[in-house]
Amino acid sequence: MTLMKTLLGAAGTLALTTAVASAEPAVIYDLGGKFDKSFNEAAYNGAKKWAEETGGTFKELEMQTEAQREQALRQLAESGANPVVTTGFGMSDPISVVAPEFPDTKFVTIDGWVDPATNPNVLSIGFAEHEGSYLVGMLAALASKTGTVGFIGGMDIPLIRKFGCGYAQGALAAKADAKVVLNMTGTTPAAWNDPVKGAELAKAQKGQGADVIFAAAGGTGIGVLQAAADEGILSIGVDSNQNHLHPGKVLTSMLKRVDVAVYNSFKAGEALDTAPQALDLKSEGVGYALDDNNAALITPEMKAAVDAAAEKIKSGELKVHDYMSDNTCPAATF
């Protein structure tokens, strides 16, 4: 059985025991909760798959506040967990502080960056979110009847602008006269877990003509998808396959294989190679979801157009601009 360890937000302490095998892997979920049906839940699914296949157990922590990051890392490392996998860019600085204290422990930052030259026991895993977002941007524009599509991000950070920029590029590539409406939910970590605000933004974007809205906002996105379904427009999920949340009303989901990153890290265990990884379209690190829940929404022509673009991206013929490369976007203004 998985050993569930939860951070106590009020007391700021960790409920951890040490009577476990020293080589248990661990995962720390970012703010927003394990079952956010998106980013964190994808991480959980990767850990669960490893446990089911191996019969092993793992530790998992849900944080309540920013202040608990270093504490979580240090306590897990002291308990013998190895590797310690973390989700979210916010773990980069805390890992940089804690990792040198535990040179025999491997740490993983998914979506973060830690210099391997100074922290050789840390693996940084990034994704080409702009490539996957480009594909769903194309689908959004092709499915739109109004010619206006929307994007709702969570916390306004370069990583989320990377999603929005890729999405806008794809939409304009599919329809040069498409209009892309972009909003961010907030500027603090609370923006990842505000479905009410997500719903409000979705309704506002519908008022501006958007009839397809892509949510890259963690738990906030659940409110976006719900509001879109209620308002009779389409939505696009993110990270995990969210098509099933509102069958026939979610156009697709931009897949970001956080589950694969966690699974592979757990599988490697203490032998984990810490050379930085970039999971792109070619390596199937990102993509779009097509299943029984959305098959009727995507015509053969739409699929052919998007798949052709995907092949060009994989071959290098088509370059999608990465917002994080220079903090600019040729297709959108944030």
Side-chain angles (χ1 to χ4, degrees), residues 126-196:
F127 294 84
E129 294 94 349
H130 55 305
E131 294 181 353
S133 296
Y134 183 98
L135 301 184
V136 301
M138 288 187 66
L139 287 173
L142 293 171
S144 176
K145 294 179 173 60
T146 65
T148 298
V149 299
F151 173 84
I152 296 175
M155 186 176 175
D156 189 1
I157 54 174
L159 175 62
I160 299 303
R161 292 188 176 199
K162 182 179 179 180
F163 280 87
C165 184
Y167 177 72
Q169 289 174 78
L172 294 175
K175 287 186 179 178
D177 60 348
K179 179 182 177 182
V180 184
V181 180
L182 303 100
N183 291 110
M184 296 294 183
T185 305
T187 57
T188 70
W192 303 121
N193 196 26
D194 193 346
V196 173

Short mmCIF file of all heavy atoms in Angstrom, two decimals, residues 126-196:
data_model
loop_
_atom_site.label_atom_id
_atom_site.label_comp_id
_atom_site.label_asym_id
_atom_site.label_seq_id
_atom_site.Cartn_x
_atom_site.Cartn_y
_atom_site.Cartn_z
N GLY A 126 12.11 19.09 -18.06
CA GLY A 126 11.25 20.10 -18.67
C GLY A 126 10.46 19.52 -19.82
O GLY A 126 10.73 18.39 -20.28
N PHE A 127 9.51 20.26 -20.31
CA PHE A 127 8.66 19.81 -21.41
C PHE A 127 8.55 20.89 -22.48
O PHE A 127 8.66 22.08 -22.18
CB PHE A 127 7.24 19.49 -20.90
CG PHE A 127 7.17 18.31 -19.96
CD1 PHE A 127 7.43 18.49 -18.61
CD2 PHE A 127 6.85 17.05 -20.41
CE1 PHE A 127 7.37 17.42 -17.72
CE2 PHE A 127 6.79 15.97 -19.54
CZ PHE A 127 7.05 16.16 -18.20
N ALA A 128 8.29 20.46 -23.69
CA ALA A 128 8.07 21.40 -24.79
C ALA A 128 6.57 21.72 -24.86
O ALA A 128 5.88 21.37 -25.81
CB ALA A 128 8.56 20.81 -26.11
N GLU A 129 6.09 22.40 -23.82
CA GLU A 129 4.65 22.71 -23.74
C GLU A 129 4.17 23.52 -24.94
O GLU A 129 3.01 23.42 -25.35
CB GLU A 129 4.34 23.49 -22.46
CG GLU A 129 4.55 22.72 -21.18
CD GLU A 129 5.93 22.92 -20.58
OE1 GLU A 129 6.80 23.51 -21.27
OE2 GLU A 129 6.13 22.50 -19.42
N HIS A 130 5.07 24.34 -25.49
CA HIS A 130 4.68 25.17 -26.63
C HIS A 130 4.33 24.33 -27.85
O HIS A 130 3.45 24.72 -28.64
CB HIS A 130 5.79 26.16 -26.97
CG HIS A 130 7.14 25.55 -27.22
ND1 HIS A 130 7.77 24.72 -26.32
CD2 HIS A 130 7.99 25.64 -28.29
CE1 HIS A 130 8.94 24.33 -26.82
NE2 HIS A 130 9.08 24.87 -28.01
N GLU A 131 4.96 23.16 -27.99
CA GLU A 131 4.67 22.30 -29.13
C GLU A 131 3.30 21.65 -29.00
O GLU A 131 2.50 21.65 -29.95
CB GLU A 131 5.76 21.24 -29.27
CG GLU A 131 7.12 21.80 -29.63
CD GLU A 131 8.20 20.74 -29.79
OE1 GLU A 131 7.94 19.55 -29.49
OE2 GLU A 131 9.31 21.10 -30.21
N GLY A 132 3.01 21.11 -27.83
CA GLY A 132 1.69 20.52 -27.63
C GLY A 132 0.59 21.56 -27.68
O GLY A 132 -0.50 21.31 -28.22
N SER A 133 0.87 22.74 -27.14
CA SER A 133 -0.13 23.82 -27.15
C SER A 133 -0.40 24.31 -28.57
O SER A 133 -1.52 24.73 -28.89
CB SER A 133 0.35 24.98 -26.28
OG SER A 133 0.46 24.58 -24.92
N TYR A 134 0.60 24.27 -29.41
CA TYR A 134 0.42 24.65 -30.81
C TYR A 134 -0.63 23.75 -31.46
O TYR A 134 -1.51 24.23 -32.19
CB TYR A 134 1.76 24.52 -31.54
CG TYR A 134 1.76 24.93 -33.00
CD1 TYR A 134 2.20 26.21 -33.37
CD2 TYR A 134 1.37 24.06 -34.01
CE1 TYR A 134 2.23 26.59 -34.71
CE2 TYR A 134 1.38 24.43 -35.34
CZ TYR A 134 1.82 25.70 -35.69
OH TYR A 134 1.85 26.09 -37.01
N LEU A 135 -0.53 22.46 -31.19
CA LEU A 135 -1.47 21.51 -31.80
C LEU A 135 -2.90 21.76 -31.34
O LEU A 135 -3.83 21.75 -32.15
CB LEU A 135 -1.04 20.08 -31.48
CG LEU A 135 0.35 19.65 -31.95
CD1 LEU A 135 0.58 18.18 -31.64
CD2 LEU A 135 0.53 19.90 -33.44
N VAL A 136 -3.09 21.97 -30.03
CA VAL A 136 -4.46 22.19 -29.57
C VAL A 136 -4.96 23.57 -29.98
O VAL A 136 -6.17 23.78 -30.12
CB VAL A 136 -4.59 21.97 -28.04
CG1 VAL A 136 -4.17 20.56 -27.67
CG2 VAL A 136 -3.83 23.00 -27.23
N GLY A 137 -4.03 24.51 -30.20
CA GLY A 137 -4.43 25.81 -30.74
C GLY A 137 -4.98 25.67 -32.15
O GLY A 137 -5.97 26.32 -32.52
N MET A 138 -4.35 24.83 -32.94
CA MET A 138 -4.87 24.55 -34.27
C MET A 138 -6.27 23.96 -34.20
O MET A 138 -7.18 24.39 -34.90
CB MET A 138 -3.94 23.58 -35.02
CG MET A 138 -2.62 24.15 -35.48
SD MET A 138 -1.70 22.96 -36.51
CE MET A 138 -2.78 22.86 -37.97
N LEU A 139 -6.43 22.97 -33.32
CA LEU A 139 -7.75 22.33 -33.19
C LEU A 139 -8.80 23.33 -32.73
O LEU A 139 -9.95 23.31 -33.21
CB LEU A 139 -7.67 21.17 -32.20
CG LEU A 139 -6.93 19.91 -32.69
CD1 LEU A 139 -6.78 18.91 -31.56
CD2 LEU A 139 -7.69 19.28 -33.87
N ALA A 140 -8.41 24.22 -31.82
CA ALA A 140 -9.36 25.22 -31.33
C ALA A 140 -9.85 26.11 -32.46
O ALA A 140 -11.07 26.33 -32.61
CB ALA A 140 -8.70 26.07 -30.24
N ALA A 141 -8.93 26.62 -33.27
CA ALA A 141 -9.31 27.51 -34.36
C ALA A 141 -10.15 26.78 -35.41
O ALA A 141 -11.12 27.33 -35.94
CB ALA A 141 -8.06 28.10 -35.01
N LEU A 142 -9.80 25.54 -35.68
CA LEU A 142 -10.55 24.76 -36.68
C LEU A 142 -11.95 24.41 -36.19
O LEU A 142 -12.87 24.27 -36.99
CB LEU A 142 -9.77 23.49 -37.03
CG LEU A 142 -8.44 23.71 -37.77
CD1 LEU A 142 -7.65 22.40 -37.87
CD2 LEU A 142 -8.68 24.28 -39.16
N ALA A 143 -12.10 24.27 -34.88
CA ALA A 143 -13.41 23.92 -34.33
C ALA A 143 -14.28 25.15 -34.08
O ALA A 143 -15.51 25.04 -33.99
CB ALA A 143 -13.23 23.15 -33.01
N SER A 144 -13.66 26.31 -33.95
CA SER A 144 -14.40 27.52 -33.60
C SER A 144 -15.35 27.95 -34.70
O SER A 144 -15.01 27.96 -35.89
CB SER A 144 -13.42 28.66 -33.30
OG SER A 144 -14.12 29.87 -33.06
N LYS A 145 -16.55 28.34 -34.29
CA LYS A 145 -17.54 28.87 -35.23
C LYS A 145 -17.54 30.39 -35.23
O LYS A 145 -18.01 31.02 -36.18
CB LYS A 145 -18.93 28.35 -34.87
CG LYS A 145 -19.09 26.84 -35.04
CD LYS A 145 -20.49 26.39 -34.66
CE LYS A 145 -20.72 24.92 -34.98
NZ LYS A 145 -19.79 24.03 -34.27
N THR A 146 -17.00 30.99 -34.17
CA THR A 146 -16.97 32.45 -34.06
C THR A 146 -15.68 33.07 -34.56
O THR A 146 -15.62 34.28 -34.80
CB THR A 146 -17.16 32.89 -32.60
OG1 THR A 146 -16.02 32.43 -31.83
CG2 THR A 146 -18.43 32.29 -32.00
N GLY A 147 -14.65 32.24 -34.68
CA GLY A 147 -13.34 32.77 -35.07
C GLY A 147 -12.56 33.32 -33.90
O GLY A 147 -11.46 33.84 -34.07
N THR A 148 -13.11 33.17 -32.67
CA THR A 148 -12.43 33.65 -31.47
C THR A 148 -12.23 32.49 -30.51
O THR A 148 -13.17 31.76 -30.20
CB THR A 148 -13.25 34.75 -30.76
OG1 THR A 148 -13.39 35.87 -31.64
CG2 THR A 148 -12.55 35.20 -29.48
N VAL A 149 -11.00 32.32 -30.06
CA VAL A 149 -10.69 31.25 -29.10
C VAL A 149 -10.03 31.87 -27.87
O VAL A 149 -9.47 32.96 -27.95
CB VAL A 149 -9.78 30.17 -29.72
CG1 VAL A 149 -10.45 29.51 -30.91
CG2 VAL A 149 -8.43 30.76 -30.13
N GLY A 150 -10.12 31.18 -26.75
CA GLY A 150 -9.61 31.74 -25.51
C GLY A 150 -8.54 30.89 -24.86
O GLY A 150 -8.44 29.68 -25.12
N PHE A 151 -7.76 31.53 -24.00
CA PHE A 151 -6.75 30.86 -23.19
C PHE A 151 -6.82 31.42 -21.78
O PHE A 151 -6.80 32.64 -21.60
CB PHE A 151 -5.34 31.08 -23.75
CG PHE A 151 -4.24 30.56 -22.86
CD1 PHE A 151 -3.86 29.22 -22.91
CD2 PHE A 151 -3.60 31.40 -21.95
CE1 PHE A 151 -2.86 28.74 -22.08
CE2 PHE A 151 -2.60 30.92 -21.12
CZ PHE A 151 -2.23 29.58 -21.19
N ILE A 152 -6.91 30.53 -20.80
CA ILE A 152 -6.91 30.94 -19.40
C ILE A 152 -5.78 30.23 -18.69
O ILE A 152 -5.77 29.00 -18.56
CB ILE A 152 -8.25 30.64 -18.72
CG1 ILE A 152 -9.36 31.46 -19.38
CG2 ILE A 152 -8.18 30.95 -17.21
CD1 ILE A 152 -10.76 31.16 -18.87
N GLY A 153 -4.79 31.00 -18.25
CA GLY A 153 -3.65 30.44 -17.54
C GLY A 153 -3.86 30.54 -16.04
O GLY A 153 -4.73 31.27 -15.56
N GLY A 154 -3.05 29.83 -15.29
CA GLY A 154 -3.10 29.92 -13.84
C GLY A 154 -2.28 31.09 -13.37
O GLY A 154 -2.61 32.24 -13.63
N MET A 155 -1.18 30.82 -12.68
CA MET A 155 -0.29 31.88 -12.20
C MET A 155 0.47 32.48 -13.38
O MET A 155 0.97 31.75 -14.25
CB MET A 155 0.68 31.29 -11.17
CG MET A 155 1.56 32.31 -10.49
SD MET A 155 2.57 31.49 -9.23
CE MET A 155 3.60 32.86 -8.71
N ASP A 156 0.54 33.79 -13.43
CA ASP A 156 1.20 34.47 -14.56
C ASP A 156 2.71 34.37 -14.41
O ASP A 156 3.35 35.20 -13.78
CB ASP A 156 0.76 35.93 -14.61
CG ASP A 156 1.24 36.63 -15.88
OD1 ASP A 156 1.88 35.97 -16.72
OD2 ASP A 156 0.96 37.84 -16.03
N ILE A 157 3.26 33.33 -15.02
CA ILE A 157 4.69 33.07 -15.00
C ILE A 157 5.12 32.73 -16.43
O ILE A 157 4.28 32.38 -17.26
CB ILE A 157 5.05 31.91 -14.05
CG1 ILE A 157 4.24 30.66 -14.41
CG2 ILE A 157 4.84 32.31 -12.59
CD1 ILE A 157 4.61 29.42 -13.64
N PRO A 158 6.41 32.83 -16.74
CA PRO A 158 6.86 32.52 -18.10
C PRO A 158 6.43 31.14 -18.59
O PRO A 158 6.09 30.97 -19.77
CB PRO A 158 8.38 32.63 -17.99
CG PRO A 158 8.59 33.67 -16.92
CD PRO A 158 7.50 33.40 -15.91
N LEU A 159 6.42 30.13 -17.71
CA LEU A 159 6.02 28.80 -18.13
C LEU A 159 4.60 28.78 -18.67
O LEU A 159 4.33 28.14 -19.70
CB LEU A 159 6.14 27.82 -16.96
CG LEU A 159 5.65 26.39 -17.23
CD1 LEU A 159 6.48 25.75 -18.34
CD2 LEU A 159 5.70 25.56 -15.96
N ILE A 160 3.67 29.46 -18.02
CA ILE A 160 2.29 29.46 -18.49
C ILE A 160 2.14 30.33 -19.73
O ILE A 160 1.33 30.03 -20.62
CB ILE A 160 1.34 29.90 -17.36
CG1 ILE A 160 1.46 28.92 -16.20
CG2 ILE A 160 -0.10 29.94 -17.85
CD1 ILE A 160 1.18 27.45 -16.55
N ARG A 161 2.92 31.38 -19.82
CA ARG A 161 2.92 32.15 -21.07
C ARG A 161 3.44 31.30 -22.23
O ARG A 161 3.05 31.51 -23.38
CB ARG A 161 3.78 33.41 -20.91
CG ARG A 161 3.17 34.42 -19.95
CD ARG A 161 3.91 35.73 -19.94
NE ARG A 161 3.25 36.71 -19.08
CZ ARG A 161 3.46 38.02 -19.14
NH1 ARG A 161 4.31 38.52 -20.03
NH2 ARG A 161 2.81 38.84 -18.32
N LYS A 162 4.30 30.36 -21.92
CA LYS A 162 4.80 29.43 -22.94
C LYS A 162 3.66 28.61 -23.52
O LYS A 162 3.58 28.40 -24.73
CB LYS A 162 5.86 28.51 -22.30
CG LYS A 162 6.51 27.50 -23.21
CD LYS A 162 7.54 26.71 -22.41
CE LYS A 162 8.25 25.65 -23.24
NZ LYS A 162 9.23 24.89 -22.43
N PHE A 163 2.74 28.16 -22.66
CA PHE A 163 1.54 27.46 -23.13
C PHE A 163 0.71 28.39 -24.03
O PHE A 163 0.31 28.02 -25.13
CB PHE A 163 0.65 27.06 -21.94
CG PHE A 163 1.05 25.84 -21.18
CD1 PHE A 163 1.96 25.90 -20.14
CD2 PHE A 163 0.47 24.61 -21.47
CE1 PHE A 163 2.29 24.79 -19.40
CE2 PHE A 163 0.79 23.47 -20.74
CZ PHE A 163 1.70 23.56 -19.70
N GLY A 164 0.43 29.58 -23.50
CA GLY A 164 -0.44 30.50 -24.22
C GLY A 164 0.13 30.94 -25.55
O GLY A 164 -0.60 31.07 -26.55
N CYS A 165 1.43 31.14 -25.59
CA CYS A 165 2.07 31.56 -26.84
C CYS A 165 2.02 30.46 -27.89
O CYS A 165 1.73 30.71 -29.06
CB CYS A 165 3.51 31.98 -26.56
SG CYS A 165 4.38 32.62 -28.00
N GLY A 166 2.30 29.23 -27.48
CA GLY A 166 2.21 28.12 -28.42
C GLY A 166 0.80 27.95 -28.95
O GLY A 166 0.58 27.70 -30.14
N TYR A 167 -0.17 28.10 -28.05
CA TYR A 167 -1.58 27.98 -28.42
C TYR A 167 -1.97 29.03 -29.45
O TYR A 167 -2.60 28.73 -30.47
CB TYR A 167 -2.41 28.15 -27.15
CG TYR A 167 -3.90 28.13 -27.31
CD1 TYR A 167 -4.58 26.95 -27.61
CD2 TYR A 167 -4.66 29.29 -27.11
CE1 TYR A 167 -5.97 26.93 -27.71
CE2 TYR A 167 -6.04 29.27 -27.21
CZ TYR A 167 -6.69 28.09 -27.50
OH TYR A 167 -8.06 28.06 -27.60
N ALA A 168 -1.56 30.27 -29.21
CA ALA A 168 -1.88 31.35 -30.14
C ALA A 168 -1.23 31.12 -31.51
O ALA A 168 -1.85 31.36 -32.55
CB ALA A 168 -1.43 32.69 -29.56
N GLN A 169 0.00 30.64 -31.51
CA GLN A 169 0.68 30.36 -32.78
C GLN A 169 -0.07 29.30 -33.58
O GLN A 169 -0.25 29.42 -34.79
CB GLN A 169 2.11 29.89 -32.52
CG GLN A 169 3.05 30.97 -32.02
CD GLN A 169 4.41 30.40 -31.65
OE1 GLN A 169 5.24 30.13 -32.53
NE2 GLN A 169 4.66 30.22 -30.37
N GLY A 170 -0.53 28.25 -32.88
CA GLY A 170 -1.26 27.19 -33.57
C GLY A 170 -2.59 27.68 -34.11
O GLY A 170 -2.99 27.34 -35.24
N ALA A 171 -3.30 28.49 -33.33
CA ALA A 171 -4.59 29.01 -33.76
C ALA A 171 -4.44 29.86 -35.01
O ALA A 171 -5.21 29.72 -35.98
CB ALA A 171 -5.22 29.82 -32.63
N LEU A 172 -3.43 30.73 -35.02
CA LEU A 172 -3.23 31.61 -36.16
C LEU A 172 -2.70 30.86 -37.38
O LEU A 172 -2.93 31.27 -38.52
CB LEU A 172 -2.28 32.75 -35.78
CG LEU A 172 -2.83 33.72 -34.73
CD1 LEU A 172 -1.78 34.74 -34.33
CD2 LEU A 172 -4.08 34.42 -35.25
N ALA A 173 -1.99 29.76 -37.14
CA ALA A 173 -1.52 28.95 -38.26
C ALA A 173 -2.69 28.26 -38.95
O ALA A 173 -2.70 28.09 -40.18
CB ALA A 173 -0.52 27.91 -37.77
N ALA A 174 -3.69 27.87 -38.15
CA ALA A 174 -4.86 27.20 -38.73
C ALA A 174 -5.80 28.19 -39.40
O ALA A 174 -6.38 27.90 -40.45
CB ALA A 174 -5.59 26.43 -37.64
N LYS A 175 -5.97 29.36 -38.78
CA LYS A 175 -6.83 30.40 -39.33
C LYS A 175 -6.15 31.75 -39.09
O LYS A 175 -6.10 32.23 -37.95
CB LYS A 175 -8.21 30.39 -38.66
CG LYS A 175 -9.09 29.22 -39.09
CD LYS A 175 -10.48 29.36 -38.50
CE LYS A 175 -11.38 28.21 -38.94
NZ LYS A 175 -12.74 28.31 -38.32
N ALA A 176 -5.64 32.33 -40.13
CA ALA A 176 -4.85 33.55 -40.00
C ALA A 176 -5.62 34.71 -39.40
O ALA A 176 -5.03 35.62 -38.80
CB ALA A 176 -4.29 33.96 -41.37
N ASP A 177 -6.95 34.70 -39.54
CA ASP A 177 -7.76 35.80 -39.01
C ASP A 177 -8.38 35.47 -37.66
O ASP A 177 -9.26 36.20 -37.17
CB ASP A 177 -8.85 36.18 -40.01
CG ASP A 177 -9.79 35.03 -40.32
OD1 ASP A 177 -9.48 33.87 -39.95
OD2 ASP A 177 -10.85 35.27 -40.93
N ALA A 178 -7.92 34.40 -37.03
CA ALA A 178 -8.47 34.03 -35.72
C ALA A 178 -8.11 35.09 -34.68
O ALA A 178 -7.06 35.74 -34.75
CB ALA A 178 -7.94 32.67 -35.30
N LYS A 179 -8.98 35.24 -33.69
CA LYS A 179 -8.73 36.13 -32.57
C LYS A 179 -8.49 35.28 -31.33
O LYS A 179 -9.24 34.34 -31.07
CB LYS A 179 -9.92 37.06 -32.33
CG LYS A 179 -9.74 38.02 -31.16
CD LYS A 179 -10.98 38.88 -30.95
CE LYS A 179 -10.82 39.79 -29.74
NZ LYS A 179 -12.04 40.61 -29.49
N VAL A 180 -7.43 35.59 -30.59
CA VAL A 180 -7.09 34.83 -29.39
C VAL A 180 -7.19 35.74 -28.18
O VAL A 180 -6.50 36.76 -28.10
CB VAL A 180 -5.67 34.22 -29.49
CG1 VAL A 180 -5.40 33.36 -28.26
CG2 VAL A 180 -5.52 33.39 -30.76
N VAL A 181 -8.07 35.38 -27.24
CA VAL A 181 -8.24 36.14 -26.00
C VAL A 181 -7.49 35.41 -24.90
O VAL A 181 -7.69 34.22 -24.69
CB VAL A 181 -9.73 36.24 -25.62
CG1 VAL A 181 -9.90 37.04 -24.33
CG2 VAL A 181 -10.54 36.86 -26.75
N LEU A 182 -6.59 36.13 -24.19
CA LEU A 182 -5.78 35.50 -23.16
C LEU A 182 -5.98 36.18 -21.81
O LEU A 182 -6.00 37.40 -21.72
CB LEU A 182 -4.30 35.55 -23.53
CG LEU A 182 -3.89 34.91 -24.86
CD1 LEU A 182 -3.73 35.98 -25.93
CD2 LEU A 182 -2.61 34.12 -24.72
N ASN A 183 -6.13 35.36 -20.78
CA ASN A 183 -6.21 35.85 -19.40
C ASN A 183 -5.41 34.95 -18.48
O ASN A 183 -5.31 33.75 -18.71
CB ASN A 183 -7.66 35.87 -18.90
CG ASN A 183 -8.52 36.90 -19.57
OD1 ASN A 183 -9.42 36.57 -20.34
ND2 ASN A 183 -8.26 38.17 -19.30
N MET A 184 -4.85 35.55 -17.43
CA MET A 184 -4.22 34.78 -16.37
C MET A 184 -5.09 34.91 -15.12
O MET A 184 -5.77 35.93 -14.92
CB MET A 184 -2.81 35.31 -16.08
CG MET A 184 -1.85 35.15 -17.25
SD MET A 184 -1.49 33.43 -17.64
CE MET A 184 -0.28 33.65 -18.96
N THR A 185 -5.06 33.89 -14.28
CA THR A 185 -5.92 33.89 -13.10
C THR A 185 -5.38 34.76 -11.98
O THR A 185 -6.14 35.39 -11.23
CB THR A 185 -6.12 32.45 -12.59
OG1 THR A 185 -6.63 31.65 -13.66
CG2 THR A 185 -7.09 32.40 -11.43
N GLY A 186 -4.07 34.82 -11.83
CA GLY A 186 -3.50 35.61 -10.75
C GLY A 186 -1.99 35.62 -10.79
O GLY A 186 -1.37 35.08 -11.72
N THR A 187 -1.38 36.18 -9.77
CA THR A 187 0.08 36.31 -9.72
C THR A 187 0.68 35.60 -8.52
O THR A 187 1.88 35.74 -8.25
CB THR A 187 0.49 37.79 -9.68
OG1 THR A 187 -0.12 38.42 -8.54
CG2 THR A 187 0.06 38.51 -10.95
N THR A 188 -0.12 34.85 -7.80
CA THR A 188 0.36 34.08 -6.64
C THR A 188 0.00 32.62 -6.84
O THR A 188 -0.84 32.28 -7.69
CB THR A 188 -0.27 34.59 -5.33
OG1 THR A 188 -1.67 34.23 -5.32
CG2 THR A 188 -0.13 36.10 -5.21
N PRO A 189 0.58 31.71 -6.06
CA PRO A 189 0.26 30.29 -6.19
C PRO A 189 -1.22 29.95 -6.00
O PRO A 189 -1.68 28.90 -6.43
CB PRO A 189 1.12 29.64 -5.09
CG PRO A 189 2.29 30.55 -4.96
CD PRO A 189 1.72 31.91 -5.12
N ALA A 190 -1.99 30.85 -5.37
CA ALA A 190 -3.42 30.62 -5.21
C ALA A 190 -4.13 30.52 -6.56
O ALA A 190 -5.23 29.95 -6.66
CB ALA A 190 -4.05 31.75 -4.38
N ALA A 191 -3.49 31.03 -7.60
CA ALA A 191 -4.09 31.00 -8.94
C ALA A 191 -4.24 29.59 -9.50
O ALA A 191 -4.97 29.38 -10.46
CB ALA A 191 -3.23 31.84 -9.90
N TRP A 192 -3.56 28.63 -8.89
CA TRP A 192 -3.67 27.25 -9.36
C TRP A 192 -4.91 26.53 -8.82
O TRP A 192 -5.25 25.46 -9.29
CB TRP A 192 -2.44 26.43 -8.94
CG TRP A 192 -1.12 26.97 -9.40
CD1 TRP A 192 -0.07 27.34 -8.62
CD2 TRP A 192 -0.69 27.15 -10.75
NE1 TRP A 192 0.98 27.77 -9.40
CE2 TRP A 192 0.63 27.66 -10.70
CE3 TRP A 192 -1.30 26.95 -12.00
CZ2 TRP A 192 1.36 27.97 -11.85
CZ3 TRP A 192 -0.57 27.26 -13.14
CH2 TRP A 192 0.73 27.76 -13.07
N ASN A 193 -5.54 27.12 -7.83
CA ASN A 193 -6.62 26.40 -7.15
C ASN A 193 -7.81 27.32 -6.88
O ASN A 193 -8.27 27.44 -5.76
CB ASN A 193 -6.11 25.79 -5.84
CG ASN A 193 -7.03 24.73 -5.29
OD1 ASN A 193 -7.77 24.09 -6.02
ND2 ASN A 193 -6.99 24.53 -3.98
N ASP A 194 -8.31 27.94 -7.95
CA ASP A 194 -9.43 28.87 -7.83
C ASP A 194 -10.44 28.60 -8.96
O ASP A 194 -10.58 29.40 -9.90
CB ASP A 194 -8.92 30.31 -7.89
CG ASP A 194 -9.97 31.33 -7.46
OD1 ASP A 194 -11.15 30.96 -7.37
OD2 ASP A 194 -9.60 32.50 -7.23
N PRO A 195 -11.17 27.49 -8.88
CA PRO A 195 -12.12 27.16 -9.94
C PRO A 195 -13.22 28.19 -10.12
O PRO A 195 -13.75 28.35 -11.23
CB PRO A 195 -12.68 25.80 -9.51
CG PRO A 195 -12.37 25.68 -8.06
CD PRO A 195 -11.11 26.44 -7.84
N VAL A 196 -13.58 28.89 -9.06
CA VAL A 196 -14.61 29.93 -9.18
C VAL A 196 -14.12 31.05 -10.09
O VAL A 196 -14.84 31.50 -11.00
CB VAL A 196 -14.99 30.48 -7.80
CG1 VAL A 196 -15.94 31.67 -7.95
CG2 VAL A 196 -15.64 29.39 -6.95
#
